[in-house]
Amino acid sequence: MEKLVKANIVRLFKNKFLYVCFIIAVCTTFIVTKGDMEIIKLHSLTQSNCMMVVSGAIFGFLSIFVPIFEGVEYRNGVIRNKIIMGYSQKEVYFAHLIVNAVTILAIELLWFIAGVASGAKPGAELLVGALSLFFSCMAYAALVTFVLMRSRNTVVTIIISSILFYVSLMACLMTNFIATHVTGGLKSVSVLLENVNPVGQWFTHTIMCNDYYAGAGNELISYGIVPQLVLAVLVIALFTVLGTFKIENRNLK
């Protein structure tokens, strides 16, 4: 599988679309983090606040880039050739998960550098947010990979992934609202859904989450960084198991 990973990484950094996304990510992060927009001044937001909010665009990037990059496997008999060479479909699957980590690490590193260069202070809160962002993006990428490897259709996966991102973001707003206006079991369920949702994990580290405005002693929506990392790993494991279940029995046309 090592050769598969190396080949995918080489192909990754030869991908012109990736560099277009890198440029957009750097420029957008720098401009938004700089905080020159009137709405930012009006609400006295810090540059770190702006930096964490704009980082959510990485999920949108993954919704499009992951299907495009991984979808090559099902064009022109690529995956069949790998099987003929002795690789299993599981190895192809796991190789993509590893490359997802490299992709996320690269774009998050650029996001972090651009944000700090624009004036954000790399304090503990921002670093914790960045750590949570990496694992939540990995969980989301595992979901997108599961959809692609099962549908085997790039266009369909992009559509589904884009819808999933939108639904996940709307779910964040809904669970955040419910958790701050109710008590008891419904509140507990809402908080659980917020922390299990990969996009929700990122959401809890932004100013959009009620935690940012909660006073001392108030019950927070976020479970905290350690439980969130555990949940992210469990989500990754779940979709990897679902994605590789009986995958070797598929008939590749």
Side-chain angles (χ1 to χ4, degrees):
M1 191 174 74
E2 182 180 351
K3 290 183 178 179
L4 282 178
V5 174
K6 288 181 178 179
N8 281 349
I9 290 176
V10 170
R11 183 164 66 86
L12 175 70
F13 288 105
K14 286 184 177 180
N15 191 298
K16 295 179 181 178
F17 179 58
L18 178 67
Y19 289 99
V20 172
C21 293
F22 280 170
I23 293 171
I24 294 173
V26 169
C27 293
T28 303
T29 301
F30 188 88
I31 293 170
V32 174
T33 302
K34 197 166 183 62
D36 288 336
M37 290 181 284
E38 289 301 321
I39 190 172
I40 294 174
K41 296 176 182 178
L42 179 64
H43 293 281
S44 301
L45 304 181
T46 68
Q47 289 169 311
S48 295
N49 293 153
C50 300
M51 186 175 167
M52 277 307 303
V53 170
V54 76
S55 67
I58 296 177
F59 293 100
F61 157 74
L62 294 173
S63 296
I64 298 173
F65 183 78
V66 170
I68 290 176
F69 184 78
E70 296 179 357
V72 171
E73 300 292 353
Y74 299 103
R75 294 198 295 272
N76 302 321
V78 173
I79 195 169
R80 286 201 303 271
N81 291 337
K82 290 180 178 180
I83 302 304
I84 292 172
M85 292 171 63
Y87 297 108
S88 67
Q89 293 190 59
K90 280 188 178 181
E91 287 177 315
V92 172
Y93 196 106
F94 283 114
H96 279 298
L97 290 180
I98 294 172
V99 174
N100 284 344
V102 174
T103 305
I104 293 167
L105 186 62
I107 198 163
E108 188 170 339
L109 183 61
L110 290 174
W111 160 78
F112 194 85
I113 292 172
V116 172
S118 190
K121 296 180 180 179
E125 184 179 357
L126 184 58
L127 292 174
V128 169
L131 179 62
S132 176
L133 177 65
F134 176 78
F135 279 89
S136 58
C137 283
M138 276 298 299
Y140 184 77
L143 169 58
V144 177
T145 297
F146 159 72
V147 175
L148 184 280
M149 291 297 183
R150 285 302 179 180
S151 73
R152 290 179 279 182
N153 187 302
T154 300
V155 176
V156 169
T157 303
I158 290 175
I159 294 172
I160 294 175
S161 300
S162 299
I163 293 173
L164 282 173
F165 174 51
Y166 177 78
V167 170
S168 296
L169 183 57
M170 291 302 103
C172 293
L173 298 173
M174 292 175 64
T175 50
N176 182 74
F177 178 83
I178 294 171
T180 54
H181 288 80
V182 301
T183 58
L186 185 56
K187 178 183 178 70
S188 298
V189 171
S190 298
V191 171
L192 174 63
L193 292 175
E194 187 90 344
N195 286 271
V196 170
N197 177 1
V199 179
Q201 292 189 1
W202 155 81
F203 186 88
T204 62
H205 292 275
T206 70
I207 56 172
M208 295 181 288
C209 180
N210 191 66
D211 286 1
Y212 182 79
Y213 304 97
N218 286 6
E219 186 178 352
L220 300 179
I221 295 173
S222 172
Y223 283 161
I225 184 63
V226 175
Q228 282 186 339
L229 295 185
V230 172
L231 286 171
V233 170
L234 289 176
V235 171
I236 294 169
L238 171 63
F239 284 109
T240 301
V241 169
L242 292 175
T244 57
F245 181 68
K246 293 186 177 181
I247 195 172
E248 303 297 348
N249 299 332
R250 292 190 305 176
N251 180 24
L252 297 175
K253 298 180 180 181

